[in-house]
């Protein structure tokens, strides 16, 4: 039986290739995902380890031991502590570090990179006047308040050379700095595309509000001294509000954080790999079902000469094992290529990752082989078991009928129950997990029901096929002749298009919700904020308010408080101008009430606190002082505008440090590029400050959604490719099964062009059937998910992207046409006499 199984595999090389390709793509996706994430994780981890090369022990302030940035606070890590640490036994050197945000402008005045990844630090000149953390590539170390050094990657991106003047901001006025030197670094932030500017230590301490103090102290151990021993020695000189950590512990912690941050990406990629495999399972199962059907007489003969049912099933599983092994190996090789390609692709999009080798771990190899073999054998088990049950005499006499009415009734009943249960879960889902479970059940249920659904749906296409005459009629009849096979083939495409359509519907609806939120709730022409998402100086609002083009402005200031014993944030705003800057609907009250001890609250907060117009409540401000506030109005909140609003002059006396999250600005004549440039000039053309219109805010969020959607399209394209192979596979085997029929059609006058047209139309019908089902289910899931999303985003409304759905249907048609090319050509080339005589 083993030899027989191997001969069957090798006797049909084209069939073997198609089946291997279907499995291989799924395996390649899984292995490519594992290789890519392992490579990126390893590169960042190695980079972080290099960053701690000169750190054997780090001295840090205790977490939560006070606010080192509070006005008048004494630095926790002082120069005297640094001097004491440098003298402990076993310490070769000690370095004090200071760091913070630093926005660097390019030669056009625009911010280099993203605000959150722009940082600054100190160049600590140790022995020989050098800082081993930052080897100089050209120039010298910065000396004095007018000089900086830049990392080599940032200098190259901006085109800066030693001696150039660089505009830089560290959360304050723009500084004109001379570029004294360019350095290289293993800093993980720089490796990931960020920028790093270095100042001399005294300047860095002054700029970051730590005169004479440090954020951390890094110690290098002398030869023969272990990190643990050095740590023990340092702890003897530390004050109570400081702690020591070994460099290994820091590196391990950073590696753990990097690994955790990669988990989300790894999980997302593996989900889509699973989708590709899920689609592949249908194709593999369909392929083996047809293979077994074609060999019914052969298997019956084996039974007649003494093979048991178990041996017949085992022979089919041996074939599956061979196919799975070949697919696992080739899929692993292809996956390594995919992993390398993804890394290169990310580099070309502008994202930067550290250099490092391609990582192919033993677990990746093991998973790839297990996935390839197990998935294939599971998909082949049911057809093999079904084949073993065929009575030998019935099979040899070709009287073994297709599925009985009873089996179809059972299948349709099971499919109906699964679909109904899944739909009920989807419609009542209160979480994304429930929604995913329900969607999975609906997909499985509809797959079970597709033989039942195929007849009416394909029959509805009859009018479209009439212009093709007899070939169109034959194509339609062939498509519904074997509903199970048609259903399995169409389902592969259906699943891919269901996911693509559902994601597109949700993304389009979210985009409109964001636009509606931004344009509907804001009258302000501009919103000014820090690129680093840190607070703005109050000077910014004062300068903007005094600008000749500005007619109204208001800061948004956040201050922690306690209301009726519970934590609540208060937002300070300019009460007299808010009606000119926002466009909110009030359920009661108005902006006119926003002054003194009267506040405005969003409707959700009012419901939670059981407040209404005129309600009073006790408040404990940030400085500990207590007061009583009164609700002067209730407005309909959203993700941009919500919370408890209080007049800024009332809030300011209670704040330890007054600063603004952002400033809203209304100008004469509306938003205009010239006015925007004028506002930027008034703020010193500061690269750290971003001035955004309502459209800019919406586009920023849309860009993130669009990037995610495009990634998903690329990943889901794999499922569509697998589906194409499935259609090709089905048609090729269908042509093989109908050799006699095709030969007879040729004999009675249907020419080769007619044969090709018939096969192409059959493929087109099957693909469009899958496309219609997929788009319909995608719209249903998008609509159902909308109810879940609307609870968090109240401006969310269903938007059907008719243009993209039309494109997806066209894609399904293209899939059908392309998939039919080879089978149609093969059918047309059949010798009619040989085909008629074929057994």
């Amino acid at each position: 039986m083993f030899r027989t199984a191997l001969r069957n595999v090798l006797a049909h090389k084209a069939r073997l290739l198609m089946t291997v390709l279907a499995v291989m793509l799924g395996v390649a996706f899984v292995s490519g995902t594992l290789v890519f994430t392992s490579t990126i994780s390893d590169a960042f981890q190695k980079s972080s380890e290099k960053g701690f090369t000169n750190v054997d022990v780090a001295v840090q302030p205790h977490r939560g031991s006070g606010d080192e940035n509070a006005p008048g606070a004494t630095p926790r890590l002082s120069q005297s502590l640094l001097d004491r640490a440098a003298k402990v036994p076993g310490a070769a050197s000690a370095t004090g570090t200071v760091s913070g945000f630093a926005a660097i402008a390019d030669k056009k005045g625009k911010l280099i990179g993203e605000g959150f990844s722009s940082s600054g630090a100190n160049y600590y000149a140790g022995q020989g006047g050098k800082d081993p953390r930052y080897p100089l590539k050209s120039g010298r170390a910065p000396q004095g308040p007018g000089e900086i050094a830049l990392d080599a990657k940032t200098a190259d991106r901006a085109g800066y050379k030693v001696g150039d003047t660089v505009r830089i901001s560290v959360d304050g006025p723009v500084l004109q700095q001379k570029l004294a030197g360019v350095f290289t670094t293993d800093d993980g932030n720089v490796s990931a595309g960020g920028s790093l500017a270095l100042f001399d230590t005294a300047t860095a301490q002054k700029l970051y509000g730590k005169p004479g103090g440090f954020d951390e102290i890094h110690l290098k151990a002398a030869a023969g001294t272990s990190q643990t021993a050095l740590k023990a020695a340092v702890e003897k000189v530390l004050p109570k509000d400081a702690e020591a950590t070994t460099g290994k512990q820091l590196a391990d912690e950073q590696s753990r954080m990097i690994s955790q941050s990669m988990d989300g990406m790894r999980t997302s990629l593996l989900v889509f790999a699973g989708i590709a495999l899920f689609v592949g399972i249908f194709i593999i199962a369909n392929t083996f079902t047809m293979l077994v059907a074609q060999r019914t007489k052969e298997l019956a003969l084996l039974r007649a000469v003494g093979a048991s049912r178990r041996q017949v099933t085992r022979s089919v599983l041996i074939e599956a094992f061979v196919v799975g092994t070949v697919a696992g190996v080739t899929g692993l090789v292809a996956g390594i290529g995919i992993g390398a390609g993804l890394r290169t692709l990310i580099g070309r999009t502008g994202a930067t990752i550290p250099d490092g080798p391609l990582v192919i771990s033993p677990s990746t190899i093991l998973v790839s082989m297990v996935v390839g073999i197990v998935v294939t054998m599971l998909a082949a088990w049911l057809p093999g078991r079904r084949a073993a049950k065929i009575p030998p005499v019935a099979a040899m006499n070709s009287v073994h009928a297709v599925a009985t009415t009873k089996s179809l009734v059972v299948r349709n009943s099971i499919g109906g129950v699964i679909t109904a249960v899944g739909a009920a879960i989807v419609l009542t889902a209160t979480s994304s997990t429930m929604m995913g479970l329900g969607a999975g059940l609906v997909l499985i249920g509809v797959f079970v029901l597709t033989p039942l659904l195929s007849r009416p749906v394909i029959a509805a296409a009859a009018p479209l096929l009439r212009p093709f005459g007899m070939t169109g009629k034959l194509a339609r009849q062939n498509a519904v002749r074997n509903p199970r096979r048609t259903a399995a083939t169409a389902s592969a495409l259906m699943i891919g298009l269901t996911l693509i359509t559902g994601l597109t519907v949700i993304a389009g609806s979210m985009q409109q919700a964001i636009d509606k939120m931004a344009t509907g709730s804001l009258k302000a022409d501009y919103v000014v904020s820090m690129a680093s998402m840190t607070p703005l100086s109050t000077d910014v609002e004062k300068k903007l308010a005094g600008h000749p083009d500005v007619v109204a402005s208001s800061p948004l200031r956040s201050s922690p408080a306690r209301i009726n014993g519970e934590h609540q944030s208060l937002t300070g705003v300019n009460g007299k101008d808010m009606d000119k800057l926002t466009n909110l609907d009030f359920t009661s009250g108005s902006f006119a009430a926003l002054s003194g001890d009267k506040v405005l609250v969003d409707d959700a907060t009012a419901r939670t606190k059981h407040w209404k117009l005129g309600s009073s409540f006790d408040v404990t401000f940030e400085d500990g002082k207590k007061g009583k506030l009164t609700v002067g109005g209730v407005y309909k909140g959203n993700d941009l505008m919500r919370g408890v609003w209080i007049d800024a002059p009332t809030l300011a006396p209670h704040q330890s440090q007054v600063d603004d999250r952002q400033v809203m600005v209304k100008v004469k004549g509306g938003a205009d590029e010239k006015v925007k440039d004028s506002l930027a000039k008034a703020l010193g053309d500061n690269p750290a400050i971003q001035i955004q219109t309502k459209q800019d805010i919406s586009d920023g969020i849309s860009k993130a959604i669009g990037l995610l959607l495009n990634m998903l399209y690329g990943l889901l394209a794999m499922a569509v490719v697998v589906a194409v192979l499935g259609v090709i596979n089905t048609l090729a085997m269908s042509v093989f099964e109908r050799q006699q029929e095709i030969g007879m059609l040729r004999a009675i006058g249907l020419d080769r062009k007619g044969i090709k047209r018939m096969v192409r139309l059959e493929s087109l019908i099957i693909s469009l059937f899958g496309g219609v089902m997929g788009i319909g289910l995608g719209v249903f899931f998008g609509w159902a998910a909308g109810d879940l999303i609307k609870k968090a985003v109240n401006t969310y409304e269903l938007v059907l992207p008719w243009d993209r759905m039309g494109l997806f249907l066209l894609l399904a048609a293209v899939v059908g046409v392309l998939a039919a090319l080879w089978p149609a050509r093969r059918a047309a080339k059949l010798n009619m006499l040989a085909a008629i005589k074929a057994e």
Side-chain angles (χ1 to χ4, degrees):
M1 291 301 295
F2 181 75
R3 287 198 301 270
T4 302
L6 289 180
R7 284 171 183 167
N8 281 325
V9 171
L10 299 174
H12 305 281
K13 294 182 178 60
R15 187 175 70 196
L16 172 66
L17 177 63
M18 295 299 297
T19 312
V20 166
L21 279 173
V23 187
M24 184 200 78
L25 280 172
V27 175
F29 206 172
V30 172
S31 60
T33 296
L34 294 174
V35 168
F36 173 68
T37 52
S38 297
T39 298
I40 300 299
S41 294
D42 183 74
F44 277 111
Q45 286 171 4
K46 292 283 177 61
S47 177
S48 71
E49 288 171 7
K50 287 180 182 177
F52 292 107
T53 301
N54 295 301
V55 183
D56 288 315
V57 173
V59 178
Q60 302 167 313
H62 269 305
R63 292 182 179 88
S65 60
D67 183 6
E68 73 274 18
N69 294 317
T74 303
R76 291 190 221 127
L77 305 183
S78 62
Q79 182 66 49
S80 62
L81 176 59
L82 172 63
D83 294 337
R84 291 199 304 273
K87 294 176 182 177
V88 299
S93 63
T95 302
T97 69
V98 182
S99 60
F101 170 69
I104 305 164
D106 60 20
K107 290 187 175 181
K108 295 181 180 178
K110 302 298 182 183
L111 177 68
I112 298 174
E114 301 290 341
F116 59 84
S117 61
S118 301
S119 56
N122 67 313
Y123 186 94
Y124 191 89
Q127 295 177 356
K130 294 182 179 180
D131 189 332
R133 299 172 298 167
Y134 309 115
L136 289 167
K137 184 178 179 181
S138 60
R140 57 173 174 77
Q143 298 171 359
E147 295 183 346
I148 62 166
L150 286 180
D151 70 271
K153 291 183 178 179
T154 299
D156 288 342
R157 273 192 290 173
Y160 284 129
K161 296 180 181 178
V162 173
D164 287 348
T165 298
V166 180
R167 298 177 69 256
I168 189 169
S169 173
V170 291
D171 225 6
V174 177
L175 305 173
Q176 303 282 347
Q177 304 286 98
K178 180 183 177 182
L179 183 60
V182 175
F183 61 90
T184 59
T185 177
D186 291 320
D187 186 284
N189 186 56
V190 174
S191 298
S195 60
L196 178 60
L198 297 180
F199 307 88
D200 69 278
T201 298
T203 302
Q205 290 173 329
K206 181 180 178 182
L207 289 173
Y208 294 119
K210 301 177 181 72
F214 301 96
D215 292 319
E216 291 186 9
I217 295 173
H218 294 165
L219 298 172
K220 180 71 177 172
T225 303
S226 68
Q227 290 188 353
T228 307
L230 181 58
K231 178 188 173 186
V234 170
E235 286 176 335
K236 294 177 181 178
V237 301
L238 293 184
K240 292 181 180 179
D241 59 354
E243 60 185 356
T245 309
T246 64
K248 185 179 185 307
Q249 288 175 319
L250 290 175
D252 290 344
E253 175 65 16
Q254 187 149 335
S255 294
R256 186 185 63 78
M257 291 173 63
I258 290 169
S259 182
Q260 283 183 345
S261 67
M262 294 299 296
D263 283 345
M265 179 187 291
R266 185 184 293 111
T267 302
S268 299
L269 290 171
L270 286 174
V271 164
F272 290 101
I275 291 168
L277 277 176
F278 188 55
V279 174
I281 286 171
F282 290 134
I283 295 169
I284 299 161
N286 194 28
T287 300
F288 275 94
T289 299
M290 288 186 285
L291 295 180
V292 170
Q294 289 172 5
R295 291 165 43 210
T296 299
K297 288 186 178 183
E298 176 190 325
L299 295 174
L301 184 60
L302 288 173
R303 290 289 313 282
V305 297
S308 65
R309 287 185 177 183
R310 185 174 295 177
Q311 285 178 312
V312 170
T313 303
R314 195 181 301 147
S315 72
V316 175
L317 291 177
I318 289 170
E319 286 188 53
F321 177 80
V322 173
V323 168
T325 303
V326 174
V329 173
T330 54
L332 174 62
V333 173
I336 293 169
I338 289 173
L342 282 173
R343 177 174 174 166
T344 303
L345 183 63
I346 284 185
R348 289 182 179 176
T349 60
T352 307
I353 56 176
D355 294 329
L358 206 63
V359 178
I360 306 163
S361 64
S363 60
T364 299
I365 298 172
L366 180 64
V367 168
S368 299
M369 296 307 299
V370 168
V371 165
I373 295 169
V374 172
V375 165
T376 308
M377 291 186 71
L378 283 176
W381 176 76
L382 187 60
R385 188 166 174 269
R386 190 182 297 141
K389 288 184 176 180
I390 299 173
V393 175
M396 290 195 319
N397 286 293
S398 299
V399 295
H400 183 71
V402 293
T404 63
T405 304
K406 180 181 177 182
S407 70
L408 289 173
V409 169
V410 171
R411 174 174 178 145
N412 293 336
S413 300
I414 293 172
V417 170
I418 294 173
T419 304
V421 171
I425 294 174
V426 167
L427 294 174
T428 58
T430 56
S431 67
S432 57
T433 303
M434 280 184 67
M435 179 67 69
L437 174 64
L441 288 174
V442 169
L443 277 176
I444 293 170
V446 171
F447 169 70
V448 175
L449 285 174
T450 39
L452 177 67
L453 298 172
S454 63
R455 289 186 181 277
V457 175
I458 292 175
L464 299 175
L465 296 173
R466 280 175 191 156
F468 297 99
M470 184 53 66
T471 54
K473 184 177 180 179
L474 289 170
R476 181 176 61 81
Q477 290 175 345
N478 288 334
V480 295
R481 176 184 296 180
N482 191 331
R484 289 178 184 240
R485 187 171 64 202
T486 297
T489 306
S491 293
L493 190 59
M494 178 190 76
I495 293 168
L497 287 179
T498 295
L499 294 165
I500 290 174
T501 305
L503 289 168
T504 303
V505 169
I506 293 170
S509 301
M510 275 298 296
Q511 179 57 58
Q512 180 172 326
I514 292 162
D515 287 340
K516 191 175 179 180
M517 193 185 300
T519 58
S521 60
L522 279 178
K523 284 183 185 176
D525 295 309
Y526 297 104
V527 175
V528 181
S529 61
M530 290 292 294
S532 60
M533 307 302 174
T534 53
L536 282 162
S537 166
T538 53
D539 290 339
V540 171
E541 197 271 332
K542 291 175 183 176
K543 288 180 180 179
L544 291 171
H547 193 282
D549 290 322
V550 174
V551 295
S553 66
S554 174
L556 266 74
R557 297 172 182 169
S558 183
S559 176
R562 291 182 70 85
I563 294 176
N564 294 334
E566 297 179 358
H567 290 287
Q568 180 76 46
S569 180
L570 300 177
T571 301
V573 296
N574 184 353
K576 63 184 178 63
D577 279 351
M578 285 302 287
D579 60 334
K580 300 173 187 175
L581 298 167
T582 59
N583 187 26
L584 297 175
D585 293 330
F586 280 80
T587 58
S588 60
S590 68
F591 277 120
L594 186 57
S595 64
D597 63 354
K598 289 189 176 180
V599 298
L600 304 180
V601 298
D602 67 278
D603 50 351
T605 302
R607 282 194 301 272
T608 304
K609 304 284 188 182
H610 305 292
W611 291 339
K612 58 183 179 179
L613 187 66
S615 296
S616 294
F617 54 88
D618 295 323
V619 61
T620 302
F621 291 101
E622 182 181 340
D623 60 354
K625 292 184 179 179
K626 297 182 179 181
K628 189 174 284 288
L629 299 175
T630 303
V631 176
V634 179
Y635 64 91
K636 292 182 179 179
N638 56 50
D639 282 356
L640 292 179
M641 301 283 178
R642 62 183 175 185
V644 180
W645 290 2
I646 185 172
D647 199 25
T650 303
L651 181 64
H654 300 288
Q655 293 183 271
S656 59
Q657 185 171 339
V658 180
D659 46 35
D660 303 329
R661 289 204 319 264
Q662 52 187 218
V663 177
M664 295 184 290
V665 177
K666 182 79 174 174
V667 296
K668 297 174 185 176
D672 179 83
E673 200 63 35
K674 290 183 180 178
V675 175
K676 185 177 180 180
D677 290 341
S678 177
L679 294 176
K681 190 173 182 179
L683 297 175
D685 288 322
N686 195 325
I689 298 175
Q690 56 184 7
I691 303 173
Q692 295 178 295
T693 63
K694 290 180 282 189
Q695 192 59 47
D696 291 334
I697 295 171
S698 179
D699 289 347
I701 302 172
S702 302
K703 185 178 179 182
I705 293 175
L707 181 63
L708 176 63
L709 195 60
N710 288 335
M711 270 187 67
L712 297 181
Y713 281 165
L715 294 170
L716 290 171
M718 186 69 77
V720 176
V721 171
V722 174
V724 171
L725 288 174
V727 178
I728 296 173
N729 217 355
T730 300
L731 288 173
M733 293 186 177
S734 177
V735 168
F736 177 80
E737 282 182 356
R738 295 179 355 232
Q739 286 186 73
Q740 284 186 326
E741 177 187 319
I742 292 169
M744 188 63 71
L745 289 171
R746 289 290 314 283
I748 61 175
L750 190 62
D751 60 9
R752 289 186 174 182
K753 285 185 179 179
I755 295 292
K756 283 184 179 180
R757 191 181 302 120
M758 178 185 73
V759 175
R760 286 171 185 163
L761 288 173
E762 180 184 350
S763 174
L764 187 63
I765 292 168
I766 294 173
S767 296
L768 286 175
F769 169 58
V772 169
M773 294 289 292
I775 292 170
L777 282 173
V779 170
F780 169 70
F781 291 142
W783 167 77
D787 286 344
L788 205 59
I789 297 170
K790 199 165 186 177
K791 293 176 183 177
V793 183
N794 57 13
T795 54
Y796 184 92
E797 289 181 4
L798 181 68
V799 175
L800 295 181
W802 294 105
D803 54 342
R804 292 207 178 188
M805 289 194 297
L807 189 63
F808 297 155
L809 197 59
L810 180 63
L811 173 65
V814 170
V815 166
V817 172
L818 292 177
L821 291 177
W822 178 62
R825 190 176 178 188
R826 182 182 176 191
K829 284 187 173 182
L830 286 175
N831 184 297
M832 68 180 77
L833 295 178
I836 291 171
K837 288 164 49 179
E839 287 292 333

